[in-house]
Amino acid sequence: MPEAAAGTGPRRRAVLAAALAPLAAAGCSGGEAPRTPASGQQPAPKDAVIMVIRHAEKPYAGDSGRDEDGEDDPGSLAGRGWRRAEELPRLFPPAKGAPLPRPAAVFAAGGKDRAPARCRQTVTALAAAVRTPVRADFAVGAESALAHAALAGPMPVLVCWEHTGIPRLVRALGAHQVLGLPATWPDRHDLVWQFTRRSGQWSFRELPQQLLPGDA
């Protein structure tokens, strides 16, 4: 049977080689060719919750604050500020459905000289309650570095900052164009600004602390 012999010989091998050539040229190795991302397409940033507060009350002009040892210190909190700091953990109860989530990371204005101490003093009791250290690595003016560190870490995040630097922090986060955001921090110590990013979009809400008599 010469035809059968021809089908198993050099002729058949030549036919198979011709049939497989297009696959080899396409780089086929038993699966689909690798897909490349669309030109200019960027992955969506991760979801985030950033809560911002101003430090608690400072001394009035001509008065002096008190440091952790009760010594006079103009860079420390006033008596009402210390009371607010002590009550701050009540804003973040462990129960589910609480108005504010318990922070997984706490930042406070500091830097190498860590002065003034009011921001760190404001969140010391809270950080102890949620069992996380106070990160005081960044000084006022280093809001871009702070925003990068806050967004890179665990969520939610609480930041206690000087009110003059809060608009710069919001801009560094990329949340400065969100609806309802005031241009500056009000002349108050009893607020929380919460910024939430979902699917790359920021939202904003302002909540009163209502921790001390006289809070709005």
Side-chain angles (χ1 to χ4, degrees):
M1 298 179 63
E3 292 184 0
T8 59
R11 181 179 178 184
R12 183 176 181 182
R13 288 195 296 271
V15 171
L16 289 174
L20 292 173
L23 295 178
C28 178
S29 59
E32 293 184 355
R35 298 179 180 180
T36 57
S39 177
Q41 185 177 1
Q42 297 292 331
K46 74 173 186 179
D47 292 348
V49 176
I50 309 289
M51 297 169 287
V52 182
I53 63 173
R54 182 184 182 181
H55 61 73
E57 286 84 346
K58 62 182 180 181
Y60 291 109
D63 197 3
S64 181
R66 301 288 186 274
D67 64 14
E68 289 86 344
D69 298 321
E71 301 295 330
D72 289 354
D73 177 16
S76 289
L77 296 174
R80 182 176 174 86
W82 279 110
R83 291 193 294 274
R84 183 177 303 282
E86 292 168 1
E87 296 293 330
L88 197 61
R90 293 202 291 114
L91 274 181
F92 307 95
K96 291 183 178 180
L100 288 165
R102 283 168 73 83
V106 176
F107 290 81
K112 291 182 179 179
D113 57 1
R114 301 191 182 277
R118 288 187 287 266
C119 289
R120 176 179 49 79
Q121 292 168 348
T122 299
V123 295
T124 296
L126 171 64
V130 299
R131 299 181 180 181
T132 189
V134 178
R135 290 195 56 181
D137 313 323
F138 305 101
V140 174
E143 287 81 13
S144 293
L146 167 64
H148 179 79
L151 291 172
M155 295 291 161
V157 170
L158 177 79
V159 178
C160 183
W161 211 246
E162 295 282 348
H163 73 284
T164 56
I166 290 176
R168 294 193 299 269
L169 171 59
V170 175
R171 179 174 289 275
L173 291 170
H176 55 288
Q177 293 182 331
V178 69
L179 293 177
L181 177 67
T184 59
W185 186 274
D187 187 21
R188 294 172 59 179
H189 300 270
D190 61 343
L191 294 174
V192 180
W193 282 6
Q194 180 176 333
F195 298 90
T196 302
R197 185 170 67 187
R198 295 285 183 266
S199 302
Q201 298 295 319
W202 286 103
S203 62
F204 166 78
R205 64 173 181 158
E206 179 180 275
L207 296 93
Q209 294 182 10
Q210 297 181 322
L211 293 173
L212 300 178
D215 283 2

